[in-house]
Amino acid sequence: MDWGTRSNWVEDIGERLSTVVAVFLPDGQTKKKERTTRQCINQNIQRLTKSLVNNSQRDMQWQTDFRSLQALLRLYASSVPGDLGVVVDKIAGELLTAIEKPVPNRQVIAQQLGALVDCQ
């Protein structure tokens, strides 16, 4: 039985490794990019929420920020993998309801923001 030369073995192993890298490397880069995008969206959600809680609801900027937050939450829900989108929608609804109250409950808002971070 002939097993071949060492150079043939090294060549075969090299080809297999390069195939594995070519197949799995782009997938890893895509997931990293998606994760970075979700983190960026989450940071903007955090910033807008703090702004909304600290400003008067009668302010025109508040209305604009609130609509922006709604859009970001929808975007965030569509960017999370799998069934987490449904969970994010529920959390987003509770967060928006808490922010809209005449006196926002900061503890509830902090809990909802924490839950959103957990969905990454």
Side-chain angles (χ1 to χ4, degrees):
M1 177 162 34
D2 185 22
W3 287 80
T5 62
R6 286 186 187 169
S7 63
N8 287 344
W9 277 89
V10 171
E11 180 183 353
D12 187 49
I13 290 171
E15 286 177 7
R16 290 174 192 261
L17 284 174
S18 66
T19 302
V20 168
V21 169
V23 168
F24 293 109
L25 185 63
D27 188 45
Q29 290 174 339
T30 301
K31 287 181 181 180
K32 182 178 179 181
K33 188 174 182 179
E34 289 171 352
R35 187 172 39 252
T36 303
T37 300
R38 283 193 304 271
Q39 289 172 343
C40 200
I41 293 170
N42 199 348
Q43 288 172 351
N44 285 324
I45 289 170
Q46 302 274 341
R47 181 186 53 78
L48 275 173
T49 300
K50 288 178 185 175
S51 172
L52 288 166
V53 169
N54 293 328
N55 292 322
S56 171
Q57 291 183 2
R58 288 179 253 175
D59 187 5
M60 289 298 280
Q61 185 62 44
W62 192 93
Q63 297 295 328
T64 303
D65 288 348
F66 189 77
R67 284 191 297 276
S68 296
L69 180 61
Q70 287 174 318
L72 273 175
L73 287 167
R74 281 192 297 270
L75 179 63
Y76 188 68
S78 68
S79 72
V80 293
D83 294 334
L84 279 178
V86 175
V87 174
V88 170
D89 275 339
K90 182 177 183 270
I91 294 168
E94 293 170 5
L95 177 64
L96 292 170
T97 300
I99 291 171
E100 281 183 306
K101 291 187 177 180
V103 179
N105 185 338
R106 292 177 186 265
Q107 183 179 2
V108 170
I109 291 170
Q111 289 173 346
Q112 299 309 319
L113 289 174
L116 281 176
V117 170
D118 292 342
C119 290
Q120 284 187 11

